[in-house]
Amino acid sequence: MNPTVKIDLQEFARRRRELMRLMESNSIAILPSARQQCRNGDVEYRFRQDSDFYYLSGFTEPESVLVLIPGRPHGECILFCREKDPLLEQWHGKITGPEKVLELYGFDDAFPITDIDEILPGLIEAKSRLYYALGSHLEFDQRIMGWVNSLKTNQQSGTRPPGEFVHLDQFLHELRLFKSKQEVKVLQRAADITVSAHKALMQQIRPGIYEYQLEATLLHRFMSSGAMSAAYPSIVGAGDNACILHYIHNDTECNEAELVLVDAGCEYQYYASDVTRTYPVSGRYTTAQKEIYSIVLEAQEAAISMIKPGNHWNQPHEAAVEVITQGLIKLGLLTGSLEQVIAAESYKKFTMHRTGHWLGLDVHDVGEYKIQGEWRVFEPGMVTTVEPGIYIHPSLPQIPAKYLGIGIRIEDDILVTQNGYEVLTADLPKDIQQIEALMTAASVKRHC
Ligand code: GLY
Ligand code: MN
Ligand code: MN
């Protein structure tokens, strides 16, 4: 197996410094970890750290709080975390504890989480600004209010609450939007694992296989490659299911003449990949499927070619919509001129989602798409998906039967570079001939 690639400690420290540079003097930022979620009874969901918290700390335990106080003489970066507890560790695994945290993570101070009520109000006191993602952690919001109010009610004793609350997201999410060299390496590994999983899946497809069996192939390849989970529930939709955008039941049998749309990506070292391909169950696309597939592929290539520094975020989408509309007019599925159909947005009955989104620690990653009401321009280090699709839902009226139930999306992950772009998922075939050749070779092998 390839050696693990991960973000190093220096990078987490650099991110904290960058955020603190954006904060005003005499201010404080507070970030809680994610909460452990109960599934039922004594069973918990596997814990996944909050992306903002992880981005700044690299710390993966629950019940933790990160506090940043730029310019504080006794230390700027403070972590509250669980203390070591042999009984709890016997049941749930290792707890690092404040002493070891100081040694391992490069914070300036670390305290038991049980001491937070005593310590944090004193750190908030008399700060002019408190940076916090209000509304994102409902229970923690109450605790923040409690600490702030305790300072207010104590005003007679001379304490002062912070002067102003500032939304942390606008600063932190702008940092997260631009990926470092290390982040690109991790994203590339997530992309590589996802590509290998799609290739394995593609070679399993045959009439009679169930969607969940194909999903199992993905998950097996993800986990055996060191990705602990999918970045989002995998979509494996055969036949009409391909026209349901967020289909995740994955419980249907794949039939001979159908397509199967597979939208799946792993999460590796907290970073997501997000890839879609649409395969013919028989190993060969029908003529009607080829007609629609070719339009989507051309749209995707046109969209990708729009990605370069200086072009704006919506240009790939506009290029994709134009190719799709033109193609559907040519097939007689839309009527009117290109301009008329685009102005009336009648193409939306066949393609109803946008052509991409930022990608990073979250599959739909953070970062603004518009700045002061205008589409923002691409800059090196941004990572986006490009994922046009055409969905001909069986309920649509007046559509030739040969097209009904065809749902096709093609999605890749793209890094914006100095001069243009790099496709992180380029190793996964998307040409009709390449896909058919790989599937045929696999089928021949199965029958030998
Ligand atoms: N997999 C979700 C998306 O493509 O946006
Ligand atoms: Mn996707
Ligand atoms: Mn996507």
Side-chain angles (χ1 to χ4, degrees):
M1 203 167 96
N2 293 326
T4 306
V5 287
K6 59 203 286 191
I7 306 298
D8 67 25
L9 279 183
Q10 289 76 12
E11 174 140 340
F12 290 111
R14 183 185 57 69
R15 294 168 177 178
R16 294 195 289 272
R17 282 197 302 276
E18 276 186 31
L19 180 64
M20 286 193 285
R21 260 203 296 276
L22 297 173
M23 293 166 62
E24 296 222 336
S25 59
N26 194 33
S27 64
I28 182 168
I30 303 176
L31 292 100
S33 66
R35 284 165 52 85
Q36 185 77 60
Q37 301 288 340
C38 172
R39 186 168 191 268
N40 51 43
D42 292 332
V43 178
E44 290 168 339
Y45 284 102
R46 177 179 275 172
F47 181 73
R48 200 274 187 186
Q49 190 55 280
D50 175 84
S51 295
D52 283 339
F53 183 92
Y54 178 77
Y55 181 79
L56 292 173
S57 68
F59 191 64
T60 56
E61 293 181 23
E63 294 182 57
S64 316
V65 175
L66 177 67
V67 179
L68 302 177
I69 310 176
R72 178 174 176 261
H74 307 301
E76 298 181 307
C77 305
I78 301 161
L79 191 80
F80 291 89
C81 60
R82 298 175 303 178
E83 284 189 281
K84 290 198 74 62
D85 177 339
L87 184 62
L88 214 59
E89 292 183 61
Q90 159 94 71
W91 285 87
H92 298 290
K94 197 167 74 65
I95 294 175
T96 310
E99 295 78 20
K100 262 273 183 270
V101 152
L102 272 186
E103 217 177 282
L104 296 176
Y105 286 87
F107 301 113
D108 300 315
D109 245 330
F111 300 108
I113 189 71
T114 43
D115 292 351
I116 197 165
D117 287 329
E118 272 147 57
I119 298 173
L120 199 52
L123 298 174
I124 297 174
E125 209 256 307
K127 293 286 178 290
S128 36
R129 286 185 159 203
L130 193 165
Y131 294 81
Y132 174 67
L134 200 61
S136 300
H137 317 269
L138 293 182
E139 278 190 26
F140 200 79
D141 287 358
Q142 302 297 323
R143 301 194 65 194
I144 291 269
M145 292 310 166
W147 292 318
V148 168
N149 281 331
S150 76
L151 295 171
K152 261 197 214 154
T153 49
N154 282 336
Q155 266 175 348
Q156 280 173 345
S157 59
T159 56
R160 277 188 297 135
E164 201 181 343
F165 269 82
V166 183
H167 215 313
L168 181 63
D169 293 3
Q170 57 190 316
F171 302 97
L172 182 52
H173 293 177
E174 195 63 16
L175 293 180
R176 277 180 56 188
L177 177 57
F178 293 90
K179 274 64 180 181
S180 68
K181 285 201 174 86
Q182 287 190 35
E183 286 181 293
V184 170
K185 276 194 187 144
V186 179
L187 281 163
Q188 182 65 67
R189 176 63 65 81
D192 291 345
I193 293 171
T194 298
V195 164
S196 94
H198 269 261
K199 282 183 181 165
L201 174 148
M202 193 190 311
Q203 297 178 54
Q204 298 266 302
I205 297 174
R206 56 182 170 275
I209 199 163
Y210 277 76
E211 294 163 344
Y212 53 75
Q213 293 178 289
L214 298 176
E215 182 180 5
T217 299
L218 292 167
L219 293 176
H220 179 268
R221 190 55 73 99
F222 289 168
M223 293 195 76
S224 58
S225 309
M228 290 306 290
S229 70
Y232 53 92
S234 304
I235 296 170
V236 183
D240 295 350
N241 296 336
C243 297
I244 303 169
L245 297 180
H246 289 166
Y247 175 80
I248 53 170
H249 294 300
N250 301 355
D251 58 1
T252 308
E253 189 177 358
C254 303
N255 296 315
E256 175 94 29
E258 293 173 347
L259 296 171
V260 54
L261 183 154
V262 180
D263 181 346
C266 72
E267 178 174 293
Y268 180 80
Q269 293 290 324
Y270 283 79
Y271 284 81
S273 56
D274 184 7
V275 174
T276 309
R277 290 291 184 268
T278 310
Y279 308 107
V281 173
S282 68
R284 297 240 166 240
Y285 295 92
T286 64
T287 305
Q289 289 165 353
K290 275 186 190 166
E291 286 171 339
I292 305 295
Y293 192 98
S294 304
I295 298 171
V296 178
L297 184 56
E298 192 191 328
Q300 203 226 17
E301 285 169 345
I304 291 175
S305 73
M306 285 295 151
I307 296 184
K308 61 176 176 202
N311 275 6
H312 68 69
W313 163 258
N314 209 40
Q315 282 177 265
H317 181 66
E318 288 165 2
V321 166
E322 197 170 314
V323 172
I324 287 174
T325 305
Q326 189 85 65
L328 293 176
I329 291 172
K330 217 162 149 195
L331 288 184
L333 296 179
L334 285 169
T335 47
S337 69
L338 179 66
E339 294 71 28
Q340 284 166 340
V341 174
I342 288 182
E345 297 190 337
S346 41
Y347 60 84
K348 282 193 173 170
K349 64 179 174 221
F350 297 110
T351 181
M352 52 297 279
H353 58 77
R354 296 197 54 81
T355 301
H357 50 81
W358 304 130
L359 183 74
L361 285 169
D362 297 334
V363 63
H364 286 196
D365 208 29
V366 295
E368 297 292 343
Y369 294 97
K370 285 187 169 178
I371 307 271
Q372 292 174 342
E374 301 291 334
W375 295 114
R376 78 183 302 158
V377 294
F378 289 110
E379 296 177 60
M382 294 169 161
V383 177
T384 180
T385 66
V386 175
E387 50 177 305
I390 295 178
Y391 313 92
I392 309 178
H393 197 275
S395 65
L396 283 175
Q398 296 170 331
I399 304 285
K402 61 182 178 178
Y403 294 124
L404 286 177
I406 291 181
I408 295 173
R409 178 162 66 252
I410 304 173
E411 175 175 27
D412 283 298
D413 302 343
I414 320 284
L415 166 69
V416 185
T417 61
Q418 294 292 340
N419 302 315
Y421 63 85
E422 187 185 328
V423 182
L424 301 178
T425 45
D427 284 345
L428 186 60
K430 56 187 171 185
D431 285 341
I432 287 178
Q433 295 76 5
Q434 282 177 311
I435 289 176
E436 288 186 346
L438 252 170
M439 291 183 71
T440 307
S443 159
V444 169
K445 220 162 138 196
R446 268 200 309 274
H447 290 103
C448 279

PDB file of all heavy atoms in Angstrom, residues 229-257:
ATOM      1  N   SER A 229     -13.813   6.164   4.962  1.00  0.00           N
ATOM      2  CA  SER A 229     -15.238   6.204   4.609  1.00  0.00           C
ATOM      3  C   SER A 229     -15.410   6.866   3.259  1.00  0.00           C
ATOM      4  O   SER A 229     -14.467   7.414   2.688  1.00  0.00           O
ATOM      5  CB  SER A 229     -16.031   6.991   5.660  1.00  0.00           C
ATOM      6  OG  SER A 229     -15.709   8.353   5.560  1.00  0.00           O
ATOM      7  N   ALA A 230     -16.656   6.806   2.784  1.00  0.00           N
ATOM      8  CA  ALA A 230     -17.033   7.606   1.629  1.00  0.00           C
ATOM      9  C   ALA A 230     -17.167   9.057   2.098  1.00  0.00           C
ATOM     10  O   ALA A 230     -17.432   9.316   3.272  1.00  0.00           O
ATOM     11  CB  ALA A 230     -18.351   7.103   1.065  1.00  0.00           C
ATOM     12  N   ALA A 231     -16.967   9.986   1.186  1.00  0.00           N
ATOM     13  CA  ALA A 231     -17.089  11.404   1.556  1.00  0.00           C
ATOM     14  C   ALA A 231     -18.549  11.832   1.649  1.00  0.00           C
ATOM     15  O   ALA A 231     -18.865  12.896   2.178  1.00  0.00           O
ATOM     16  CB  ALA A 231     -16.361  12.267   0.521  1.00  0.00           C
ATOM     17  N   TYR A 232     -19.456  10.994   1.122  1.00  0.00           N
ATOM     18  CA  TYR A 232     -20.901  11.246   1.145  1.00  0.00           C
ATOM     19  C   TYR A 232     -21.541   9.911   0.752  1.00  0.00           C
ATOM     20  O   TYR A 232     -20.849   9.049   0.186  1.00  0.00           O
ATOM     21  CB  TYR A 232     -21.290  12.371   0.165  1.00  0.00           C
ATOM     22  CG  TYR A 232     -20.768  12.129  -1.236  1.00  0.00           C
ATOM     23  CD1 TYR A 232     -21.531  11.478  -2.185  1.00  0.00           C
ATOM     24  CD2 TYR A 232     -19.469  12.504  -1.603  1.00  0.00           C
ATOM     25  CE1 TYR A 232     -21.045  11.219  -3.462  1.00  0.00           C
ATOM     26  CE2 TYR A 232     -18.961  12.245  -2.869  1.00  0.00           C
ATOM     27  CZ  TYR A 232     -19.765  11.609  -3.789  1.00  0.00           C
ATOM     28  OH  TYR A 232     -19.274  11.345  -5.047  1.00  0.00           O
ATOM     29  N   PRO A 233     -22.817   9.720   1.051  1.00  0.00           N
ATOM     30  CA  PRO A 233     -23.428   8.426   0.687  1.00  0.00           C
ATOM     31  C   PRO A 233     -23.330   8.202  -0.824  1.00  0.00           C
ATOM     32  O   PRO A 233     -23.724   9.063  -1.606  1.00  0.00           O
ATOM     33  CB  PRO A 233     -24.886   8.586   1.133  1.00  0.00           C
ATOM     34  CG  PRO A 233     -24.845   9.656   2.180  1.00  0.00           C
ATOM     35  CD  PRO A 233     -23.759  10.605   1.753  1.00  0.00           C
ATOM     36  N   SER A 234     -22.802   7.044  -1.212  1.00  0.00           N
ATOM     37  CA  SER A 234     -22.589   6.782  -2.635  1.00  0.00           C
ATOM     38  C   SER A 234     -23.934   6.668  -3.360  1.00  0.00           C
ATOM     39  O   SER A 234     -24.874   6.060  -2.846  1.00  0.00           O
ATOM     40  CB  SER A 234     -21.828   5.472  -2.823  1.00  0.00           C
ATOM     41  OG  SER A 234     -20.620   5.515  -2.100  1.00  0.00           O
ATOM     42  N   ILE A 235     -23.974   7.247  -4.543  1.00  0.00           N
ATOM     43  CA  ILE A 235     -25.163   7.147  -5.400  1.00  0.00           C
ATOM     44  C   ILE A 235     -24.867   6.089  -6.451  1.00  0.00           C
ATOM     45  O   ILE A 235     -23.922   6.242  -7.237  1.00  0.00           O
ATOM     46  CB  ILE A 235     -25.445   8.506  -6.089  1.00  0.00           C
ATOM     47  CG1 ILE A 235     -25.776   9.577  -5.044  1.00  0.00           C
ATOM     48  CG2 ILE A 235     -26.556   8.369  -7.127  1.00  0.00           C
ATOM     49  CD1 ILE A 235     -25.823  11.005  -5.598  1.00  0.00           C
ATOM     50  N   VAL A 236     -25.628   4.994  -6.415  1.00  0.00           N
ATOM     51  CA  VAL A 236     -25.486   3.969  -7.458  1.00  0.00           C
ATOM     52  C   VAL A 236     -26.896   3.746  -7.998  1.00  0.00           C
ATOM     53  O   VAL A 236     -27.703   3.034  -7.391  1.00  0.00           O
ATOM     54  CB  VAL A 236     -24.889   2.652  -6.902  1.00  0.00           C
ATOM     55  CG1 VAL A 236     -24.702   1.646  -8.032  1.00  0.00           C
ATOM     56  CG2 VAL A 236     -23.553   2.907  -6.199  1.00  0.00           C
ATOM     57  N   GLY A 237     -27.203   4.398  -9.112  1.00  0.00           N
ATOM     58  CA  GLY A 237     -28.579   4.409  -9.606  1.00  0.00           C
ATOM     59  C   GLY A 237     -28.684   3.793 -10.987  1.00  0.00           C
ATOM     60  O   GLY A 237     -28.170   4.344 -11.958  1.00  0.00           O
ATOM     61  N   ALA A 238     -29.367   2.638 -11.058  1.00  0.00           N
ATOM     62  CA  ALA A 238     -29.544   1.985 -12.367  1.00  0.00           C
ATOM     63  C   ALA A 238     -30.897   2.365 -12.950  1.00  0.00           C
ATOM     64  O   ALA A 238     -31.858   2.630 -12.217  1.00  0.00           O
ATOM     65  CB  ALA A 238     -29.454   0.473 -12.199  1.00  0.00           C
ATOM     66  N   GLY A 239     -30.976   2.378 -14.289  1.00  0.00           N
ATOM     67  CA  GLY A 239     -32.249   2.657 -14.961  1.00  0.00           C
ATOM     68  C   GLY A 239     -32.805   4.003 -14.545  1.00  0.00           C
ATOM     69  O   GLY A 239     -32.067   4.982 -14.433  1.00  0.00           O
ATOM     70  N   ASP A 240     -34.119   4.037 -14.262  1.00  0.00           N
ATOM     71  CA  ASP A 240     -34.782   5.302 -13.907  1.00  0.00           C
ATOM     72  C   ASP A 240     -34.157   5.950 -12.676  1.00  0.00           C
ATOM     73  O   ASP A 240     -34.237   7.170 -12.492  1.00  0.00           O
ATOM     74  CB  ASP A 240     -36.273   5.067 -13.604  1.00  0.00           C
ATOM     75  CG  ASP A 240     -37.046   4.586 -14.825  1.00  0.00           C
ATOM     76  OD1 ASP A 240     -36.479   4.616 -15.942  1.00  0.00           O
ATOM     77  OD2 ASP A 240     -38.210   4.170 -14.654  1.00  0.00           O
ATOM     78  N   ASN A 241     -33.549   5.148 -11.802  1.00  0.00           N
ATOM     79  CA  ASN A 241     -32.952   5.710 -10.573  1.00  0.00           C
ATOM     80  C   ASN A 241     -31.866   6.733 -10.884  1.00  0.00           C
ATOM     81  O   ASN A 241     -31.558   7.600 -10.058  1.00  0.00           O
ATOM     82  CB  ASN A 241     -32.344   4.595  -9.709  1.00  0.00           C
ATOM     83  CG  ASN A 241     -33.392   3.629  -9.213  1.00  0.00           C
ATOM     84  OD1 ASN A 241     -34.570   3.995  -9.119  1.00  0.00           O
ATOM     85  ND2 ASN A 241     -33.002   2.399  -8.915  1.00  0.00           N
ATOM     86  N   ALA A 242     -31.286   6.634 -12.065  1.00  0.00           N
ATOM     87  CA  ALA A 242     -30.237   7.590 -12.446  1.00  0.00           C
ATOM     88  C   ALA A 242     -30.803   8.998 -12.599  1.00  0.00           C
ATOM     89  O   ALA A 242     -30.059   9.981 -12.601  1.00  0.00           O
ATOM     90  CB  ALA A 242     -29.572   7.144 -13.748  1.00  0.00           C
ATOM     91  N   CYS A 243     -32.127   9.101 -12.736  1.00  0.00           N
ATOM     92  CA  CYS A 243     -32.755  10.427 -12.889  1.00  0.00           C
ATOM     93  C   CYS A 243     -33.109  11.053 -11.544  1.00  0.00           C
ATOM     94  O   CYS A 243     -33.633  12.156 -11.486  1.00  0.00           O
ATOM     95  CB  CYS A 243     -34.017  10.310 -13.739  1.00  0.00           C
ATOM     96  SG  CYS A 243     -33.669   9.753 -15.415  1.00  0.00           S
ATOM     97  N   ILE A 244     -32.852  10.329 -10.447  1.00  0.00           N
ATOM     98  CA  ILE A 244     -33.104  10.891  -9.107  1.00  0.00           C
ATOM     99  C   ILE A 244     -31.764  11.430  -8.601  1.00  0.00           C
ATOM    100  O   ILE A 244     -30.833  10.656  -8.358  1.00  0.00           O
ATOM    101  CB  ILE A 244     -33.657   9.804  -8.147  1.00  0.00           C
ATOM    102  CG1 ILE A 244     -34.925   9.186  -8.739  1.00  0.00           C
ATOM    103  CG2 ILE A 244     -33.910  10.388  -6.760  1.00  0.00           C
ATOM    104  CD1 ILE A 244     -35.399   7.937  -8.005  1.00  0.00           C
ATOM    105  N   LEU A 245     -31.700  12.737  -8.440  1.00  0.00           N
ATOM    106  CA  LEU A 245     -30.370  13.352  -8.249  1.00  0.00           C
ATOM    107  C   LEU A 245     -29.658  12.843  -7.005  1.00  0.00           C
ATOM    108  O   LEU A 245     -28.461  12.606  -7.032  1.00  0.00           O
ATOM    109  CB  LEU A 245     -30.501  14.877  -8.219  1.00  0.00           C
ATOM    110  CG  LEU A 245     -31.015  15.484  -9.526  1.00  0.00           C
ATOM    111  CD1 LEU A 245     -31.126  16.987  -9.407  1.00  0.00           C
ATOM    112  CD2 LEU A 245     -30.135  15.105 -10.711  1.00  0.00           C
ATOM    113  N   HIS A 246     -30.379  12.713  -5.900  1.00  0.00           N
ATOM    114  CA  HIS A 246     -29.735  12.274  -4.659  1.00  0.00           C
ATOM    115  C   HIS A 246     -30.172  10.857  -4.276  1.00  0.00           C
ATOM    116  O   HIS A 246     -30.407  10.556  -3.107  1.00  0.00           O
ATOM    117  CB  HIS A 246     -30.028  13.256  -3.517  1.00  0.00           C
ATOM    118  CG  HIS A 246     -29.304  14.558  -3.688  1.00  0.00           C
ATOM    119  ND1 HIS A 246     -29.596  15.691  -2.969  1.00  0.00           N
ATOM    120  CD2 HIS A 246     -28.291  14.911  -4.503  1.00  0.00           C
ATOM    121  CE1 HIS A 246     -28.798  16.677  -3.342  1.00  0.00           C
ATOM    122  NE2 HIS A 246     -28.000  16.229  -4.283  1.00  0.00           N
ATOM    123  N   TYR A 247     -30.254   9.971  -5.264  1.00  0.00           N
ATOM    124  CA  TYR A 247     -30.678   8.592  -5.014  1.00  0.00           C
ATOM    125  C   TYR A 247     -29.606   7.857  -4.203  1.00  0.00           C
ATOM    126  O   TYR A 247     -28.452   7.770  -4.638  1.00  0.00           O
ATOM    127  CB  TYR A 247     -30.879   7.878  -6.360  1.00  0.00           C
ATOM    128  CG  TYR A 247     -31.203   6.419  -6.245  1.00  0.00           C
ATOM    129  CD1 TYR A 247     -32.497   5.981  -5.945  1.00  0.00           C
ATOM    130  CD2 TYR A 247     -30.214   5.454  -6.424  1.00  0.00           C
ATOM    131  CE1 TYR A 247     -32.792   4.633  -5.840  1.00  0.00           C
ATOM    132  CE2 TYR A 247     -30.507   4.102  -6.322  1.00  0.00           C
ATOM    133  CZ  TYR A 247     -31.793   3.703  -6.019  1.00  0.00           C
ATOM    134  OH  TYR A 247     -32.077   2.373  -5.913  1.00  0.00           O
ATOM    135  N   ILE A 248     -29.987   7.326  -3.030  1.00  0.00           N
ATOM    136  CA  ILE A 248     -28.998   6.561  -2.253  1.00  0.00           C
ATOM    137  C   ILE A 248     -29.564   5.243  -1.722  1.00  0.00           C
ATOM    138  O   ILE A 248     -28.941   4.579  -0.895  1.00  0.00           O
ATOM    139  CB  ILE A 248     -28.385   7.371  -1.077  1.00  0.00           C
ATOM    140  CG1 ILE A 248     -29.470   7.957  -0.191  1.00  0.00           C
ATOM    141  CG2 ILE A 248     -27.449   8.448  -1.579  1.00  0.00           C
ATOM    142  CD1 ILE A 248     -28.933   8.552   1.101  1.00  0.00           C
ATOM    143  N   HIS A 249     -30.767   4.860  -2.190  1.00  0.00           N
ATOM    144  CA  HIS A 249     -31.306   3.571  -1.714  1.00  0.00           C
ATOM    145  C   HIS A 249     -30.417   2.421  -2.189  1.00  0.00           C
ATOM    146  O   HIS A 249     -30.160   1.470  -1.457  1.00  0.00           O
ATOM    147  CB  HIS A 249     -32.743   3.369  -2.208  1.00  0.00           C
ATOM    148  CG  HIS A 249     -33.707   4.348  -1.632  1.00  0.00           C
ATOM    149  ND1 HIS A 249     -33.917   4.449  -0.280  1.00  0.00           N
ATOM    150  CD2 HIS A 249     -34.494   5.286  -2.197  1.00  0.00           C
ATOM    151  CE1 HIS A 249     -34.800   5.398  -0.031  1.00  0.00           C
ATOM    152  NE2 HIS A 249     -35.159   5.931  -1.187  1.00  0.00           N
ATOM    153  N   ASN A 250     -29.985   2.477  -3.402  1.00  0.00           N
ATOM    154  CA  ASN A 250     -29.026   1.491  -3.952  1.00  0.00           C
ATOM    155  C   ASN A 250     -29.468   0.045  -3.722  1.00  0.00           C
ATOM    156  O   ASN A 250     -28.648  -0.810  -3.371  1.00  0.00           O
ATOM    157  CB  ASN A 250     -27.624   1.704  -3.330  1.00  0.00           C
ATOM    158  CG  ASN A 250     -27.068   3.088  -3.585  1.00  0.00           C
ATOM    159  OD1 ASN A 250     -27.678   3.885  -4.310  1.00  0.00           O
ATOM    160  ND2 ASN A 250     -25.923   3.398  -3.026  1.00  0.00           N
ATOM    161  N   ASP A 251     -30.784  -0.223  -3.924  1.00  0.00           N
ATOM    162  CA  ASP A 251     -31.279  -1.570  -3.622  1.00  0.00           C
ATOM    163  C   ASP A 251     -31.920  -2.255  -4.833  1.00  0.00           C
ATOM    164  O   ASP A 251     -32.665  -3.216  -4.676  1.00  0.00           O
ATOM    165  CB  ASP A 251     -32.282  -1.506  -2.454  1.00  0.00           C
ATOM    166  CG  ASP A 251     -33.460  -0.590  -2.753  1.00  0.00           C
ATOM    167  OD1 ASP A 251     -33.514  -0.009  -3.870  1.00  0.00           O
ATOM    168  OD2 ASP A 251     -34.333  -0.444  -1.880  1.00  0.00           O
ATOM    169  N   THR A 252     -31.635  -1.760  -6.023  1.00  0.00           N
ATOM    170  CA  THR A 252     -32.338  -2.255  -7.210  1.00  0.00           C
ATOM    171  C   THR A 252     -31.394  -3.090  -8.085  1.00  0.00           C
ATOM    172  O   THR A 252     -30.191  -2.836  -8.122  1.00  0.00           O
ATOM    173  CB  THR A 252     -32.866  -1.039  -8.015  1.00  0.00           C
ATOM    174  OG1 THR A 252     -33.614  -0.204  -7.134  1.00  0.00           O
ATOM    175  CG2 THR A 252     -33.737  -1.452  -9.178  1.00  0.00           C
ATOM    176  N   GLU A 253     -32.003  -4.023  -8.792  1.00  0.00           N
ATOM    177  CA  GLU A 253     -31.222  -4.862  -9.713  1.00  0.00           C
ATOM    178  C   GLU A 253     -30.909  -4.070 -10.988  1.00  0.00           C
ATOM    179  O   GLU A 253     -31.711  -3.266 -11.455  1.00  0.00           O
ATOM    180  CB  GLU A 253     -32.067  -6.105 -10.063  1.00  0.00           C
ATOM    181  CG  GLU A 253     -31.328  -7.158 -10.821  1.00  0.00           C
ATOM    182  CD  GLU A 253     -32.200  -8.403 -11.062  1.00  0.00           C
ATOM    183  OE1 GLU A 253     -33.364  -8.438 -10.588  1.00  0.00           O
ATOM    184  OE2 GLU A 253     -31.698  -9.314 -11.727  1.00  0.00           O
ATOM    185  N   CYS A 254     -29.731  -4.281 -11.537  1.00  0.00           N
ATOM    186  CA  CYS A 254     -29.340  -3.594 -12.775  1.00  0.00           C
ATOM    187  C   CYS A 254     -29.740  -4.471 -13.968  1.00  0.00           C
ATOM    188  O   CYS A 254     -29.352  -5.642 -14.030  1.00  0.00           O
ATOM    189  CB  CYS A 254     -27.830  -3.367 -12.810  1.00  0.00           C
ATOM    190  SG  CYS A 254     -27.172  -2.452 -11.414  1.00  0.00           S
ATOM    191  N   ASN A 255     -30.478  -3.883 -14.901  1.00  0.00           N
ATOM    192  CA  ASN A 255     -30.958  -4.663 -16.051  1.00  0.00           C
ATOM    193  C   ASN A 255     -30.179  -4.336 -17.322  1.00  0.00           C
ATOM    194  O   ASN A 255     -29.660  -3.226 -17.481  1.00  0.00           O
ATOM    195  CB  ASN A 255     -32.451  -4.398 -16.266  1.00  0.00           C
ATOM    196  CG  ASN A 255     -33.254  -4.893 -15.074  1.00  0.00           C
ATOM    197  OD1 ASN A 255     -33.027  -5.999 -14.586  1.00  0.00           O
ATOM    198  ND2 ASN A 255     -34.139  -4.053 -14.570  1.00  0.00           N
ATOM    199  N   GLU A 256     -30.199  -5.318 -18.203  1.00  0.00           N
ATOM    200  CA  GLU A 256     -29.413  -5.330 -19.447  1.00  0.00           C
ATOM    201  C   GLU A 256     -29.307  -3.987 -20.182  1.00  0.00           C
ATOM    202  O   GLU A 256     -28.230  -3.484 -20.414  1.00  0.00           O
ATOM    203  CB  GLU A 256     -30.030  -6.405 -20.365  1.00  0.00           C
ATOM    204  CG  GLU A 256     -29.440  -6.492 -21.755  1.00  0.00           C
ATOM    205  CD  GLU A 256     -28.330  -7.525 -21.837  1.00  0.00           C
ATOM    206  OE1 GLU A 256     -28.370  -8.513 -21.075  1.00  0.00           O
ATOM    207  OE2 GLU A 256     -27.406  -7.340 -22.658  1.00  0.00           O
ATOM    208  N   ALA A 257     -30.460  -3.387 -20.519  1.00  0.00           N
ATOM    209  CA  ALA A 257     -30.400  -2.233 -21.428  1.00  0.00           C
ATOM    210  C   ALA A 257     -30.218  -0.911 -20.686  1.00  0.00           C
ATOM    211  O   ALA A 257     -30.242   0.152 -21.296  1.00  0.00           O
ATOM    212  CB  ALA A 257     -31.665  -2.190 -22.271  1.00  0.00           C
TER     213      ALA A 257
END
